[in-house]
């Protein structure tokens, strides 16, 4: 009755129709985890007994009653380790729930499984986890993408029907594309960041990984809303994202930036983009070529801003109040430096050092201030496209290639950063964006849609149209 | 775009930056990070191509106004919960290495 690809929506119908019980649902996914997690390493831990006792009390009349959802390990759950896949937080037991987790619980969902990730959400392959790489379920020799590597792989392999992730520069959309699931990053501020361990606070946003666009809409409706514990969370009204999902997109104008279709894309990525263009046209949308003249500035601007904010946010890990503490010294200053040296992995150190450098005396204007101005230019490109050029959505690739091989050791850090070219602009500009899988014979490839601020309903409608056209 | 020549970035003193960031780096890490940072900073020099003289820096992606809430006391973490993750604690307080030498 349940299969690895069963959606939340289908599970909910089966639960409410009495075809299956909440206990059977948890047993099914726990069985999948036992069988497949040893090879995938998608989940850092999963507590079957706690999930079963939640299932025994589940109220299936609630909006997510009895539905299990995995949580990326940088989103706090009370009484449970939240490690950010870092040695630094190996023994950190969160004293409170993130607001997103509170909302899932209030809607009757059962959080089940701590999803592996790149350490502190820094990376795009899943290989920066202190607890081992996650594998891509489509081909174990390939990376799942990152940083929400475990969330994407767990959903793709049917270890769980849906997962929360976080997206600072593409960390939900890119692994969704590489694993063949739907990855939604809402507008900045749509979902409260309270209890999401901070990486880059002006870019971070919680998102969802699901089998279907409808499931993304269902979860978004639950997770959105203003939270007085996060002053940047939005006061915008929360519409019903599910009800208009299958309305026509006839006459919708969708922009295809010429900067996104150049020779830098691998063949399967170009083909996926062509297929999406055709599917949207067949549904009555008008696809028009547009230009985002500052597209090239996005990666440079992003890495300066993200690393600067990270260097500040990660200053809290000092080995005193929580987190790893070095045993090698009793000197107070050395205690900080050694605790951080032992607790952080290579990529985290690299980004803290880069961020510290661009904020340091004499370089602030040359790097940080300039990057924030370039960010404004990137955002203005989108604003112009959505106003002057009159497009309602933008279509593009998610990543220039399908999932790379594991251990691509010949790549320099800069080369891996450059592959974020299509995902970082949505974070810089705060826009909602979604990755939708395309039909493939080889490795999965998604396409991306972007919308103006708070237009998730429109974004999801076009994404559902794409999904439907390939059924 | 201005066609001003791009200036090479100044030499990076990673050891100094690591002291600011309070991360002890090995010699090997220092040389690897120096190489990585030089490459990354060379790349970000391209931002000089764009004329940003009259552009306001964008510190936040969404304009937010009036994010204040009423100042009323609410629940907060208990001392026990706040100390629960401390690597070392005693008598309801965080333990830190001795900062001031004793007088005797």
């Amino acid at each position: 009755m349940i299969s690895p690809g069963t959606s939340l929506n289908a599970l909910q119908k089966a639960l409410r129709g009495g075809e299956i019980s909440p206990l059977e649902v948890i047993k099914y996914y726990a069985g999948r985890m036992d069988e497949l997690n040893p090879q995938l390493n998608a989940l850092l831990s999963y507590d079957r007994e706690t999930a079963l006792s939640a299932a025994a009390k589940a109220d299936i009349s609630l909006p997510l009653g009895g539905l299990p959802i995995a949580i990326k390990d940088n989103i706090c759950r009370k009484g449970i380790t939240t490690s950010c896949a870092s040695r630094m937080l190996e023994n950190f037991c969160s004293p409170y729930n993130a607001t997103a987790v509170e909302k899932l619980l209030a809607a009757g969902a059962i959080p089940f499984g701590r999803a592996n990730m790149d350490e502190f959400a820094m990376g795009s392959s899943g290989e920066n986890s202190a607890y081992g790489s996650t594998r891509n379920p489509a081909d174990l020799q390939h990376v799942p993408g990152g940083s929400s590597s475990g969330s994407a792989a767990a959903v793709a392999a049917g270890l769980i029907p849906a997962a929360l992730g976080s997206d600072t520069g593409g960390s939900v959309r890119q692994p969704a594309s590489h694993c063949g699931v739907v990855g939604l990053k809402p507008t900045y501020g749509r979902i409260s960041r309270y209890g999401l361990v901070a990486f880059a606070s002006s870019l971070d946003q919680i998102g969802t990984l699901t089998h279907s666009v409808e499931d993304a809409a269902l979860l978004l409706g639950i997770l959105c809303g203003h939270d007085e514990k996060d002053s940047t969370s939005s006061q915008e009204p929360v519409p019903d994202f599910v009800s208009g999902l299958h309305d026509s997109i006839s006459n919708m104008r969708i922009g295809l930036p010429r900067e996104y279709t150049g020779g830098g894309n691998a063949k399967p990525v170009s083909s996926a983009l062509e297929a999406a263009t055709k599917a949207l046209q067949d549904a009555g949308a008008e696809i028009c070529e547009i230009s985002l003249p500052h597209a090239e500035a996005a990666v440079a601007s992003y890495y300066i801003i993200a690393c600067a904010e990270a260097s500040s946010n990660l200053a809290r890990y000092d080995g005193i109040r929580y987190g790893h503490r070095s045993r090698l010294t009793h000197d107070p200053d050395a205690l900080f430096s050694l605790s951080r040296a032992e607790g952080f992995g290579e990529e985290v150190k690299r980004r803290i050092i880069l961020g510290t450098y661009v904020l340091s005396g004499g370089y602030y204007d040359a790097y940080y201030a300039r990057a924030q101005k370039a960010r404004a230019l990137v955002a203005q490109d989108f604003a112009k496209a959505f106003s002057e050029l009159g497009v309602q959505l933008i279509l593009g690739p998610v990543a220039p290639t399908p999932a790379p091989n594991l251990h691509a050791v010949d790549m320099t850090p800069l080369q891996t950063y450059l592959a974020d070219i299509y995902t970082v602009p949505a974070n810089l500009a705060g826009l909602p964006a979604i990755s939708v899988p395309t039909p493939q014979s080889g490795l999965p490839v998604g396409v991306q849609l972007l919308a103006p601020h708070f237009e998730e309903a429109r974004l999801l409608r076009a994404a559902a149209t794409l999904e439907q056209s390939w059924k | 775009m201005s066609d001003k020549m791009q200036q090479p970035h100044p030499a990076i003193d990673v050891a100094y930056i690591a002291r600011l960031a309070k991360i002890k780096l090995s010699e090997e890490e220092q040389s690897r990070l120096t190489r990585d940072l030089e490459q990354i900073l060379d790349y970000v020099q391209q931002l000089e191509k764009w004329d940003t003289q009259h552009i306001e820096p964008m510190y936040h992606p969404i304009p937010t106004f009036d994010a204040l809430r009423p100042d009323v006391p609410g629940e907060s973490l208990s001392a026990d919960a706040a100390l629960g993750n401390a690597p070392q604690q005693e008598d309801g307080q965080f333990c830190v290495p001795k900062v001031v030498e004793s007088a005797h």
Side-chain angles (χ1 to χ4, degrees):
Chain A
M1 188 169 308
I2 311 181
S3 71
T6 300
S7 67
L8 288 177
N9 185 256
L11 270 179
Q12 187 171 59
K13 282 190 179 137
L15 281 166
R16 289 181 179 170
E19 297 157 46
I20 192 166
S21 73
L23 280 172
E24 287 170 319
V25 170
I26 296 300
K27 283 179 185 158
Y28 173 81
Y29 288 106
R32 299 278 304 168
M33 292 173 183
D34 289 345
E35 183 191 341
L36 294 167
N37 198 54
Q39 65 190 69
L40 291 173
N41 198 26
L43 301 173
L44 294 169
S45 74
Y46 51 96
D47 181 350
R48 173 200 299 258
E49 294 314 315
T50 303
L52 284 172
S53 57
K57 291 176 285 192
D59 177 355
I60 55 170
S61 68
L62 290 170
L64 301 175
L67 299 174
I69 293 172
I71 311 290
K72 186 176 182 178
D73 209 36
N74 61 349
I75 300 174
C76 290
R77 285 162 69 189
K78 189 173 182 175
I80 290 178
T81 303
T82 303
S83 75
C84 293
S86 178
R87 291 278 168 228
M88 180 59 84
L89 293 176
E90 187 168 11
N91 299 311
F92 177 75
C93 177
S94 176
Y96 63 89
N97 278 326
T99 297
V101 170
E102 285 288 341
K103 285 183 177 252
L104 289 182
L105 290 169
I110 301 174
F112 189 23
R114 297 165 47 219
N116 202 354
M117 55 186 281
D118 285 299
E119 183 179 2
F120 283 104
M122 298 178 188
S124 47
S125 71
E127 293 173 302
N128 294 340
S129 167
Y131 307 105
S133 306
T134 298
R135 305 297 184 101
N136 191 322
D139 183 335
L140 298 177
Q141 294 314 308
H142 290 257
V143 302
S147 69
S148 304
S149 47
S151 300
V155 174
L159 306 192
I160 198 82
L164 293 190
S166 68
D167 190 314
T168 303
S171 283
V172 162
R173 292 161 285 153
Q174 185 257 26
S177 174
H178 284 352
C179 290
V181 297
V182 174
L184 171 67
K185 180 201 96 75
T187 308
Y188 180 85
R190 259 300 194 193
I191 299 175
S192 167
R193 291 182 293 113
Y194 179 73
L196 168 67
V197 177
F199 160 14
S201 304
S202 79
L203 303 161
D204 294 341
Q205 178 58 200
I206 289 175
T208 57
L209 296 109
T210 54
H211 287 299
S212 72
V213 175
E214 182 163 15
D215 285 357
L218 174 69
L219 287 180
L220 183 65
I222 303 291
L223 294 166
C224 278
H226 180 69
D227 175 14
E228 65 173 31
K229 292 172 179 160
D230 173 6
S231 64
T232 62
S233 69
S234 166
Q235 309 261 9
E236 282 289 309
V238 180
D240 179 348
F241 296 108
V242 177
S243 66
L245 204 57
H246 299 294
D247 292 355
S248 167
I249 60 159
S250 184
N251 299 320
M252 197 183 272
R253 270 170 69 85
I254 301 177
L256 183 59
R258 73 172 70 100
E259 291 80 5
Y260 288 6
T261 53
N265 295 332
K267 184 79 180 62
V269 172
S270 307
S271 311
L273 212 48
E274 282 161 26
T277 303
K278 182 170 184 313
L280 292 166
Q281 280 169 335
D282 289 348
E286 180 198 344
I287 308 287
C288 45
E289 191 187 86
I290 60 166
S291 175
L292 301 171
H294 301 95
E296 198 195 337
V299 170
S301 169
Y302 172 82
Y303 274 93
I304 293 173
I305 294 166
C307 293
E309 293 186 10
S311 73
S312 168
N313 273 327
L314 274 65
R316 71 190 65 179
Y317 303 104
D318 55 9
I320 303 292
R321 290 153 303 157
Y322 52 87
H324 175 78
R325 182 171 191 162
S326 176
R327 295 172 192 281
L328 299 180
T329 179
H330 294 290
D331 172 71
D333 200 55
L335 181 72
F336 298 145
S337 300
L338 281 170
S339 297
R340 289 162 67 78
E342 293 165 9
F344 291 139
E346 183 184 344
E347 180 62 21
V348 174
K349 288 179 190 171
R350 184 181 293 119
R351 294 197 193 191
I352 291 174
I353 297 289
L354 176 59
T356 304
Y357 178 79
V358 299
L359 291 175
S360 65
Y363 301 123
Y364 183 94
D365 285 333
Y367 293 109
Y368 188 65
R370 194 186 291 274
Q372 296 285 22
K373 291 179 172 188
R375 176 185 196 170
L377 293 174
V378 171
Q380 280 170 18
D381 282 353
F382 286 107
K384 274 185 195 155
F386 291 131
S387 57
E388 286 166 35
L389 306 179
V391 302
Q392 291 160 290
L393 292 176
I394 289 170
L395 170 69
V398 182
T401 66
N405 281 302
L406 282 165
H407 316 303
V409 282
D410 51 333
M411 297 270 278
T412 65
L414 176 62
Q415 281 171 317
T416 66
Y417 297 171
L418 292 174
D420 296 341
I421 176 91
Y422 302 128
T423 47
V424 295
N427 302 81
L428 289 171
L431 304 174
I434 191 167
S435 171
V436 187
T438 63
Q440 293 293 331
S441 49
L443 287 168
V445 175
V447 292
Q448 183 175 211
L449 289 162
L450 299 96
H453 294 145
F454 303 109
E455 295 291 351
E456 285 90 352
R458 186 191 299 163
L459 181 76
L460 290 162
R461 188 145 52 96
T465 304
L466 274 181
E467 183 182 59
Q468 203 59 40
S469 73
W470 290 320
K471 274 217 168 108
Chain B
M1 273 188 217
S2 79
D3 44 19
K4 194 174 62 181
M5 276 289 286
Q6 288 189 25
Q7 301 296 315
H9 61 76
I12 307 160
D13 184 350
V14 166
Y16 169 68
I17 301 298
R19 279 200 301 279
L20 292 180
K22 297 239 182 281
I23 300 178
K24 187 169 171 54
L25 296 178
S26 66
E27 293 282 323
E28 197 249 323
E29 281 178 312
Q30 280 185 32
S31 61
R32 195 169 60 225
L33 280 172
T34 305
R35 200 177 60 228
D36 293 345
L37 256 60
E38 276 173 352
Q39 213 178 59
I40 294 163
L41 292 171
D42 276 341
Y43 174 76
V44 306
Q45 293 274 306
Q46 62 145 304
L47 293 181
E48 291 177 12
K49 285 201 302 202
W50 283 287
D51 181 6
T52 51
Q53 215 186 330
H54 303 291
I55 303 290
E56 280 297 308
M58 181 176 166
Y59 293 109
H60 203 269
I62 307 271
T64 43
F65 303 102
D66 239 0
L68 301 175
R69 60 174 164 77
D71 185 18
V72 287
E75 236 182 285
S76 51
L77 286 185
S78 68
D80 278 351
L83 286 163
N85 283 291
Q88 251 186 298
Q89 53 140 322
E90 213 176 286
D91 300 331
Q93 298 180 58
F94 296 105
C95 291
V96 297
K98 195 190 282 184
V99 179
V100 181
E101 289 301 321
S102 60
H104 49 163

